[in-house]
């Protein structure tokens, strides 16, 4: 007789994979309902599945325009998936447990530890409380500011709805927007390219959602502790460097491009450059036409999307800390040193190996899917690479390929978004069979490198 499998016998990575998959399919089912579509007819299941995957994995790639295709019911389903996907379904479960004063079990703590990529369970429930409070507070403040700004354009009722909806989408680095119409779909924030208030609020939401809840907690406690952890120092410094560097590169490459920055005044050029530098950090909205950018800018954005946000955040990519470790490892090797030191702290070997492993798995995934889609999709390779990297980094920026994807292409991009949101290593742990501890070690060998 076959033994029945209990879900709580599964490992934390397996629970995360199954949990996200279940939410995606529930969301897809709701989006196929006739009253979720603006036409009153059910949209194709593969399109609903793609949208649900993109929302739950907080990506923002869309095969149909969100604003003009879905009714308010459909849009609320999407933004709910974004909130659940951004904070994590285990965080939402913990919120419900807090509401009903239910005790958080050891198994649930282990899953939360895996979800937030923490080294131990110590203080995990306290961190979750902070995550919920910070997230809802930041979203509420941003929603109020955006509502006030959009009241002048849309009227109070619609401005309030748009303010709440977009603050959730942007803080969770999802990149979904409602500005598209039947006549002008997929416009994102291009109508606000030189609007100071909208640009600054959206950029702050993306950055705050992308630096991670551990860093947010450190920053909030800074007045008491007067210190930041090594993790927070690395995240903040690397985030700042990438934003400024990205803005400078985009400003230089696009300054004379008549289809992007050239038509804007100097203030608009600076705002758009910073916006397009921040958006690839896994958020996905855009204020200028990405497809019209020069190839050098597009490829640079691919690199930014691959790096992505920071650990324990709503974003994807290999993460800023991983990139910092790789850069430090290169600098250490060039200088002939043995230890990798960041901010006067020596990094453990397992951190370095994990960074290399994560980067190589991510690189192989992006290359493999790009090569595969280059045989099934009728598009330029850079366009395909851009789309695949956007999916892996859960970014949502697009050069216009997503709506033109074949059924196979939609499935592959959906799987890439899923892998990007959970993280390649978590996915690998979830799929691998249970391993027993090795009782022996092989002798050390030497291989010539370089």
């Amino acid at each position: 007789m076959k033994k029945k499998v209990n879900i709580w016998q599964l490992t934390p990575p397996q629970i995360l994979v199954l949990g996200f998959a279940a939410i995606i399919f529930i969301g897809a089912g709701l989006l196929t309902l006739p009253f979720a579509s603006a036409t009153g007819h059910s949209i194709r299941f593969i399109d609903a599945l793609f949208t649900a995957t993109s929302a739950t994995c907080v990506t923002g790639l869309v095969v149909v325009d969100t604003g003009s295709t879905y009714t308010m019911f459909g849009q609320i389903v999407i933004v709910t998936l974004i909130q659940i996907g951004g904070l994590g379904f285990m965080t939402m479960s913990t919120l419900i447990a807090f509401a009903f004063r239910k005790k958080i079990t050891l198994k649930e703590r282990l899953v939360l530890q895996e979800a937030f990529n923490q080294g131990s369970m110590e203080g995990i429930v306290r961190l979750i409380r902070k995550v919920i409070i910070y997230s809802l507070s930041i979203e509420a403040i941003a929603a109020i500011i955006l509502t006030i700004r959009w009241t002048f354009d849309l009227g109070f009722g619609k401005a309030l709805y748009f303010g709440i909806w977009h603050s959730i989408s942007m803080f969770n680095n999802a990149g979904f927007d409602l500005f598209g119409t039947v006549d002008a779909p997929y416009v994102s924030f291009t109508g606000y390219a030189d609007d100071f208030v909208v640009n600054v609020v959206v950029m702050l939401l993306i950055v705050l959602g992308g630096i991670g809840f551990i860093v947010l907690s450190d920053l909030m406690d800074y007045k008491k502790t007067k210190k930041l952890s090594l993790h927070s120092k690395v995240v903040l410094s690397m985030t700042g460097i990438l934003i400024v560097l990205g803005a400078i590169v985009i400003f230089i490459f696009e300054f004379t491009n008549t289809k992007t920055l050239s038509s804007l005044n100097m203030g608009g050029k600076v705002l758009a450059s910073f916006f397009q530098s921040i958006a690839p950090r896994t958020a996905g909205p855009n204020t200028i036409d990405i497809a019209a950018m020069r190839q050098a800018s597009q490829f640079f954005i691919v690199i930014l999307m691959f790096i992505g946000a920071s650990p324990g955040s709503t974003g994807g990519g290999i993460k800023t800390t991983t990139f910092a470790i790789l850069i430090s490892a290169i600098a250490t090797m060039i200088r002939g040193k043995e230890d990798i030191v960041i901010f006067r702290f020596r990094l453990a070997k397992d951190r370095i190996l994990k960074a290399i492993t994560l980067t190589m798995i991510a690189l192989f995934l992006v290359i493999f899917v790009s090569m595969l889609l280059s045989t099934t999709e009728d598009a330029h390779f850079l366009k395909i690479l851009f789309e695949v990297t956007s999916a892996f980094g859960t970014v949502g920026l697009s050069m216009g390929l997503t709506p033109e994807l074949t059924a196979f292409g939609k499935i592959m991009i959906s799987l890439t978004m899923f892998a990007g949101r959970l993280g390649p290593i978590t996915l690998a742990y979830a799929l691998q069979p249970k391993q027993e501890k090795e009782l022996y070690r092989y002798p050390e060998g030497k291989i010539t490198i370089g």
Side-chain angles (χ1 to χ4, degrees):
M1 192 176 176
K2 241 184 177 179
K3 199 176 177 183
K4 197 175 179 181
V5 178
N6 187 335
I7 189 167
W8 292 109
Q9 291 175 344
L10 300 172
T11 62
Q14 288 171 337
I15 291 170
L16 282 177
V17 170
L18 290 174
F20 269 98
I23 291 162
I24 287 167
F25 278 99
I26 291 168
L30 291 171
L31 290 176
T32 54
L33 295 173
F35 47 85
S37 170
T39 61
H41 301 290
S42 298
I43 69 167
R44 292 192 305 164
F45 180 73
I46 192 164
D47 291 340
L49 182 64
F50 189 98
T51 304
T53 305
S54 186
T56 308
C57 298
V58 289
T59 304
L61 289 174
V62 290
V63 287
V64 292
D65 181 67
T66 310
S68 59
T69 303
Y70 296 101
T71 59
M72 184 179 281
F73 171 79
Q75 292 166 4
I76 290 170
V77 169
I78 290 169
V79 84
T80 303
L81 292 175
I82 289 169
Q83 188 72 286
I84 294 170
L87 300 185
F89 76 94
M90 281 305 298
T91 306
M92 301 305 287
S93 301
T94 307
L95 175 60
I96 294 166
F98 287 158
F100 289 96
R101 296 184 179 180
K102 181 177 172 267
K103 192 177 178 183
I104 310 300
T105 66
L106 177 64
K107 188 71 177 185
E108 289 167 338
R109 288 169 193 260
L110 283 167
V111 179
L112 286 167
Q113 178 191 338
E114 179 68 31
F116 282 90
N117 200 20
Q118 295 294 286
S120 70
M121 285 189 296
E122 188 182 353
I124 192 70
V125 175
R126 189 165 60 250
L127 174 63
I128 299 305
R129 280 199 185 95
K130 289 180 178 179
V131 166
I132 294 165
I133 293 167
Y134 295 161
S135 300
L136 297 181
S137 300
I138 292 167
E139 287 172 358
I141 293 166
I144 292 167
I145 298 170
L146 290 174
T147 299
I148 294 168
R149 168 61 190 87
W150 285 332
T151 297
F152 297 100
D153 300 340
L154 311 171
F156 179 73
K158 192 173 182 181
L160 178 63
Y161 176 62
F162 270 46
I164 295 169
W165 205 98
H166 288 93
S167 68
I168 293 171
S169 179
M170 296 306 131
F171 176 74
N172 288 289
N173 281 207
F176 279 83
D177 71 90
L178 301 177
F179 290 103
T181 62
V182 176
D183 298 322
Y186 314 113
V187 294
S188 192
F189 286 87
T190 52
Y192 295 93
D194 55 0
D195 188 295
F196 183 79
V197 175
V198 173
N199 273 263
V200 170
V201 172
V202 172
M203 286 191 285
L204 281 173
L205 282 171
I206 294 167
V207 171
L208 291 173
I211 59 176
F213 299 111
I214 304 158
V215 179
L216 279 177
S217 178
D218 260 11
L219 290 173
M220 294 294 184
D221 295 339
Y222 185 74
K223 278 188 178 178
K224 297 180 198 170
T225 60
K226 298 295 179 187
K227 64 177 183 178
L228 293 172
S229 66
L230 173 63
H231 172 82
S232 295
K233 287 178 182 177
V234 172
V235 167
L236 292 171
S237 58
M238 189 54 64
T239 299
I241 290 167
L242 289 171
I243 288 172
V244 174
L245 177 64
I248 292 169
V249 171
I250 291 167
F251 184 85
I252 292 169
F253 286 162
E254 297 299 317
F255 188 83
T256 57
N257 188 343
T258 54
K259 296 177 181 177
T260 56
L261 295 187
S262 182
S263 59
L264 301 172
N265 59 35
M266 186 52 72
K269 284 183 174 71
V270 172
L271 277 176
S273 297
F274 272 98
F275 196 98
Q276 262 56 237
S277 174
I278 289 171
R281 315 307 308 291
T282 86
N286 56 286
T287 56
I288 58 175
D289 186 2
I290 300 297
M293 294 177 83
R294 293 192 169 112
Q295 286 191 357
S297 303
Q298 292 167 346
F299 188 73
F300 183 73
I301 287 174
V302 167
I303 296 168
L304 292 178
M305 292 192 297
F306 186 76
I307 297 169
S310 302
S313 72
T314 57
I318 62 168
K319 305 294 191 294
T320 51
T321 48
T322 303
F323 185 65
I325 290 171
L326 294 176
I327 294 297
S328 300
I330 293 167
T332 302
M333 286 295 293
I334 290 171
R335 290 184 300 170
K337 304 283 185 181
E338 188 175 337
D339 293 328
I340 296 175
V341 178
I342 301 177
F343 289 108
R344 297 184 179 181
F345 283 94
R346 176 174 54 84
L347 296 185
K349 290 283 193 292
D350 69 310
R351 298 292 91 190
I352 301 158
L353 286 172
K354 188 172 182 180
I356 295 168
T357 303
L358 173 60
T359 305
M360 292 309 295
I361 292 174
L363 195 60
F364 285 142
L365 175 67
V366 169
I367 291 170
F368 174 73
V369 177
S370 297
M371 288 174 66
L372 206 58
L373 292 187
S374 67
T375 63
T376 63
E377 311 303 313
D378 183 20
H380 191 274
F381 184 74
L382 180 57
K383 203 172 184 179
I384 292 169
L385 178 65
F386 193 99
E387 218 79 7
V388 173
T389 311
S390 181
F392 166 74
T394 68
V395 180
L397 286 174
S398 175
M399 288 171 62
L401 177 62
T402 310
E404 301 167 5
L405 288 170
T406 60
F408 178 79
K410 289 174 185 176
I411 292 167
M412 290 308 299
I413 291 293
S414 295
L415 290 173
T416 306
M417 290 190 287
F418 190 70
R421 177 64 185 97
L422 287 164
I425 291 180
T426 298
L427 205 57
Y429 284 158
L431 296 174
Q432 74 177 7
K434 193 175 179 182
Q435 290 187 334
E436 294 180 3
K437 191 177 179 181
E438 289 185 351
L439 302 175
Y440 56 90
R441 293 178 75 189
Y442 290 101
E444 188 178 286
K446 292 187 183 293
I447 298 174
T448 303
I449 296 172

